[in-house]
Amino acid sequence: MKGLDSGAGSHPYPAHRASVIVDDEGLPTHVGGREVTSIRESWLVEEGWWSSRPLHRHYFELVTVSGNNLTVFRSLPEGAWFVQRA
Amino acid sequence: MAAPYVELHCHSAFSFLDGASSPLELAARAADLGYEAMALTDHDGLWGSMEFATACRGIGIRAITGSELTVSADRSGGSSRHLTILVESAVGYRNLCGLVSEAHAGTRERPDRRAGRPSISLDRLEGRTEGLVCLTGCAGMGLVASTFEEGRLESGRRAALELLEIFGRDHLRIEIQRPFWRNDMARNRWLEAVAAKTGVPTVATGNVHAHLRERSRLQDAMVATSHGLGIVESEHLRRGNTSSCLVSPDEMAHRFRCHPGAVEETVELAGRLTFELDRELGYRYPGAGDPGTDARLRELCTVRFDALYRGTTREGEAASRLTEELGVISRLGLSGFFLLHHDLLELAREVAVEVRGRDSARSVLPPGRGRGSSVSSIVCYLTGLSHVDPVEAGLFPGRFLNDEVTSVPDIDLDFPRDIRAELILRIHERYGTERSALVASFPTYRVKGAVREFGKALGLPSGEIEKVARAAGHGRDPSTLSGDLERLLGSERASSKGWQSVLDLTGQACGLPRHPSQHPGGMIISTDPLTDVCPVVPASMHGRQIVQWDKDSCQDAGFLKIDLLGLGMLSAVERCVDEIARVRGERVDLSRIDLDDEEVFGAIRRAETTGVFQIESRAQMQLLPRLLPRDLADLAVQIALVRPGPIQGGAVHPYVERRKMLRRDPEYRVPYSHPLVRGPLGETLGVIIFQEQVIEVAMEVAGFTASRAEGLRRAMSRRRSHEAILAHRESFMEGAGARGVEPAVASDVFESILAFSGFGFPKSHSVAFALLAYQSAWLKVHYGPEYLCSLLNEQPMGFYPPDSLVQEARRSGIPVWPPDVNASMFECTTEWEDSTDHPVRDSADRRREGPGVRIGLGYIRGLEEEAGSTVVREREAGGIFETVPDLASRTGIGRPQMELLAWSGALRSLSAGDDTRALWDAGVATAGGPATAGQMRIPLPLEPIAGLPQPSAWDRLRAEYSTTGISFDAHPLELLRPSLDPEVITTTAATDSPAGEEIRTAGLVTTRQSPLTAKGTVFLLIEDECGALNLIVPRRLADRYRQLIRTARLIEVQGRIERDGRTVSLVVRHLARIELPAPELEGSIPAPNSFEAGR
């Protein structure tokens, strides 16, 4: 499972801008003000390099302090964060 | 500080369409990143392992040998899965070769012998794992890891336990990877748990597929191609991101920071994997180490010596050379090697008798002949490996054989094609399929194929792809592709993301191996089973098998390689000898012909050499009237001169000028760059023409030893290493200085060696080829029709397409007749008269005029062999055919094939030369489809049809071109002439024009060349109804008209006549395509033979 199925754009699960704070290594520590207690998975999607709309995203599957599971991604190269709603 | 990580799982381009970097690129990148050791683990093969090992040795990295093996895990209830297998010891290497060979054993079972996917059943590994370390496989397809994604955890655990049973605890590691996929962390946690349960450590690997991040795109495109899918549709098969490229050991340690033990284990394990592929192979050729071989070789040579030299003036010199050579051979332990070659030649002799027939005219010819440097050896001459007397020809075996040779010398043998095909099978029989195999070769990406493959994968419009691909030519140099795109598609399309991606991918792919193939003739023979030293896999041709290494890897492995080359000209010469015997009842023994025949040398000096071996090309023909060869030695120089080495080394012009000066003034003193080069370069008037002169000059001028000089030659000729050449340069300058050579002169001499670069012939090779060139010229001069007939039957071969050979022959007075059902055999034949077009004349007259050539029915494209053979058989049994219905009735040939015969003109003798009538008759006579076997059609009488329109001359031409590819009635230029501007002159008139004159002419393009040495200049040969003319298209113009030059068949040109002695060319200033009255005609005109530069 390489993870493209969590993509945004035309995907049935829309993504929304999120405010994310990261540590020195670029790993998220807070999402929408809530502290991240663990990172369960992280993966990279680099697709569509042959098209005018290349996709480069770094995904994280997180657990926040409130016990919620969240999938967020950082869209590269601009660096904006999105949260993926299931 | 020692690197914290060793990469143990890496794919190169030898994982064919899965890895995107060459072993050399991977090794060099690994060195840059600070790796101390690294493994190469291509899919089911060691194809690139020797190249990787030698590349790593050169840059100080320790190469670990391995392969990612595909196993069919039947016992685990799954389909094919991967295991990473690494070699610990020589025993392990043998085991791996055996396993890989077995995995490939059943891959050519389909009726069309297309390769299937290799795989080996897991239980076949039992008992064959000593010296091997198994990692449990990659994240996606690994035997253990893949079960996690599939939710078959129990089956994964069971597979781990099975592997534990097969490999043992010390030789199994649970492989964890971080491909940055969605479930990496969970999968690796589970794998850690499996490791704890089975009690074996985990080990981290990178599953590298490219040496640089930018190459990942190429890897994506290759994967899509390999599955025949578009890039979008192949998403589930691709890696999904760029993390599978080689990164530094520190970065890898960081990537696996949650698994520090798995990172440490890479270093730990690598420390145990000490097998050195390039040093521990243990290969021995048959006869190596047998103490009796020296005596047997001496005895063999002595018997032949008595027959060939005893009592001659050469006896003394020959005897001392023989003693010296046998001494060197014995000291090097190579007697068995020569005996083996002799054995092979004896086998070839047996095969030749069977293939040729005991009483055939060609049975007196040797079964094959040597080429290359071995021709300089008297031992090779005496054992029958070469047919040139090296004492008489003044050849010395310095390069081939000296006390310092470090690898087994090469012996190349040329055979006629039919003998070679049979011989390969017989060698497999004699030495066993376990001990003999062909050498592999790896076709690399070329621009045209890359554009097609990647354009298709990226979903670009097929019309655009074809347009670009067709303009791209056959080379591997993608530098002009960008300009082509712009010109052909316009700047908007050219700059589209899709086309820019194809441009990038093509640039990256060109030169990388694409798939494995078979070397034209290299064979490996071994004492021990070959599968102990290299995997052996079935070849695409039935009954043949190949080792997984190409000729360079085989040489690095020290394998004894025998080159059995199929040489079309040898086949043609043999056919010709047989044809002469059939037609004239004369038996020609080519070994006894006069080697100083003035008539033959006259034709050679006039460059009447179309179809002659080696000296027929445009460049050779232009040089012949300037060099004016008078004997075989001159011919050897002539052949060697038109090679990239002498051309780039600037040898051609000075040599030609010095020859001219010497002809005028025998006292002329040749200017040598230094007195020390007078020895090695005396016979070639001060310039380097032959390959061995590089060695001799280095030895004379810089005091190099023979092996050091050979090292220099090899450094230049193969996989050029800039550093290695610089090192040689330093020693050369130092050595030359010590001998009192001025630095400027020494530098010039070194530069001339470098410019030569080893891309030239050894003298011995040229001498061997010169003899065949002379023999073929002799046959052409004395038996022109039979010679033409043989060339036509051996196509494709040589420089010219069949149509050009025929037109040239007809201009020189040899009649060539079209195929005819009442005269043609299946192949072309020589006839004394055209029995179909003319009433039988006095045969004595015809004999004085000489015979002509009848084109065979086999030349008719699309005519089935069965139909052609039936016509011949029925005619010979029942006499000539009277009418088309008679033919249809007696042969049962169906309508499409009958119409093809009519269309080609082969029914003219049945329709009084009326093609329309023939076509009509063919249709009527075969109405209702082909007759069934045993039920012949009743020949219906045909009513004569009046008023059918007759085909135009253009119709006839189109019919001829599209059926036989040869024009018999009229040359297209003859038909075009009335519509051309009166200022457009014939090629003959152009040839007679004075130098400097501006003229216009036109013709059919018959050959097209863009040699690398010409730096963009294109050479065309055009032909009209009168003759042929060489065109030189300067680079600027060639660039501008590239597409026209590549696609136009008929062109009109304007330019300036250039003359050099009797050599005439037209330097083109303007060229244009000639539009034909019927556009569909252009497609039927045969394409020119094209010789384009590779990279």
Side-chain angles (χ1 to χ4, degrees), chain B residues 765-824:
Chain B
H765 182 79
S766 292
V767 168
F769 270 19
L771 183 57
L772 186 55
Y774 178 83
Q775 288 169 333
S776 60
W778 187 90
L779 288 169
K780 179 177 156 83
V781 166
H782 295 294
Y783 299 94
E786 288 91 337
Y787 187 68
L788 172 67
C789 180
S790 308
L791 287 183
L792 291 175
N793 283 331
E794 275 302 326
Q795 293 294 316
M797 62 171 285
F799 193 74
Y800 301 96
D803 188 44
S804 303
L805 295 174
V806 167
Q807 304 313 326
E808 192 268 346
R810 298 175 100 186
R811 286 195 296 272
S812 65
I814 297 175
V816 181
W817 301 298
D820 192 290
V821 290
N822 268 337
S824 292

Side-chain angles (χ1 to χ4, degrees), chain A residues 1-6 25 27 39-54 56 58 61 71, chain B residues 149 178 180-186 217 220 231-232 235-242 254 257 458 497-498 501 505:
Chain A
M1 186 63 73
K2 296 170 192 170
L4 185 60
D5 54 343
S6 299
E25 291 188 21
L27 304 176
I39 296 178
R40 293 163 58 97
E41 288 290 348
S42 79
W43 67 98
L44 280 169
V45 173
E46 292 170 84
E47 278 290 320
W49 49 261
W50 54 88
S51 70
S52 53
R53 293 180 62 195
H56 185 174
H58 196 169
E61 196 180 300
T71 300
Chain B
E149 208 65 65
R178 180 71 169 106
F180 286 91
W181 296 344
R182 188 168 187 172
N183 295 321
D184 283 359
M185 290 171 161
R217 295 179 173 189
D220 277 350
I231 192 93
V232 177
E235 189 271 329
H236 62 294
L237 298 162
R238 287 186 284 105
R239 305 206 64 73
N241 60 54
T242 60
H254 183 71
R257 59 192 176 282
L458 266 48
K497 189 74 183 169
S501 298
L505 295 171

Side-chain angles (χ1 to χ4, degrees), chain B residues 776-1044:
Chain B
S776 60
W778 187 90
L779 288 169
K780 179 177 156 83
V781 166
H782 295 294
Y783 299 94
E786 288 91 337
Y787 187 68
L788 172 67
C789 180
S790 308
L791 287 183
L792 291 175
N793 283 331
E794 275 302 326
Q795 293 294 316
M797 62 171 285
F799 193 74
Y800 301 96
D803 188 44
S804 303
L805 295 174
V806 167
Q807 304 313 326
E808 192 268 346
R810 298 175 100 186
R811 286 195 296 272
S812 65
I814 297 175
V816 181
W817 301 298
D820 192 290
V821 290
N822 268 337
S824 292
M825 304 302 281
F826 190 73
E827 292 196 319
C828 303
T829 44
T830 316
E831 287 180 15
W832 282 103
E833 59 190 89
D834 179 5
S835 54
T836 58
D837 281 356
H838 310 287
V840 177
R841 288 190 284 169
D842 176 32
S843 61
D845 281 350
R846 286 296 311 169
R847 273 171 199 277
R848 271 199 295 280
E849 285 173 31
V853 174
R854 167 72 64 187
I855 300 298
L857 296 176
Y859 249 79
I860 303 172
R861 279 180 216 141
L863 187 76
E864 289 159 12
E865 189 166 352
E866 180 53 32
S869 308
T870 305
V871 169
V872 175
R873 213 171 36 241
E874 181 54 34
R875 189 183 68 221
E876 289 184 342
I880 62 161
F881 304 104
E882 299 291 342
T883 60
V884 175
D886 180 34
L887 173 71
S889 149
R890 283 165 56 192
T891 58
I893 291 176
R895 185 167 179 169
Q897 294 279 293
M898 193 66 95
E899 284 179 353
L900 203 55
L901 286 170
W903 192 236
S904 73
L907 303 185
R908 281 181 197 166
S909 60
L910 307 182
S911 61
D914 180 340
D915 283 350
T916 311
R917 172 68 194 255
L919 207 53
W920 177 272
D921 287 356
V924 174
T926 54
T932 48
Q935 185 194 353
M936 284 289 123
R937 233 182 248 111
I938 302 163
L940 295 168
L942 293 171
E943 292 301 317
I945 306 295
L948 285 175
Q950 286 305 302
S952 70
W954 282 109
D955 290 338
R956 277 199 175 215
L957 186 63
R958 184 169 155 230
E960 287 170 355
Y961 274 150
S962 57
T963 52
T964 58
I966 299 169
S967 67
F968 296 96
D969 277 358
H971 194 279
L973 260 291
E974 199 179 332
L975 302 181
L976 280 171
R977 189 70 62 195
S979 60
L980 294 176
D981 190 302
E983 280 189 13
V984 175
I985 60 175
T986 63
T987 55
T988 327
T991 309
D992 293 338
S993 302
E997 179 138 318
E998 188 83 7
I999 61 120
R1000 286 170 67 194
T1001 185
L1004 172 72
V1005 181
T1006 57
T1007 62
R1008 186 173 60 222
Q1009 276 184 298
S1010 46
L1012 209 55
T1013 47
K1015 300 183 176 70
T1017 302
V1018 174
F1019 301 97
L1020 302 174
L1021 185 67
I1022 58 167
E1023 172 202 270
D1024 64 5
E1025 71 276 34
C1026 303
L1029 180 69
N1030 281 302
L1031 307 183
I1032 299 169
V1033 188
R1035 181 185 185 151
R1036 197 177 39 78
L1037 206 64
D1039 281 348
R1040 189 169 358 133
Y1041 289 105
R1042 200 136 49 84
Q1043 207 201 354
L1044 189 153

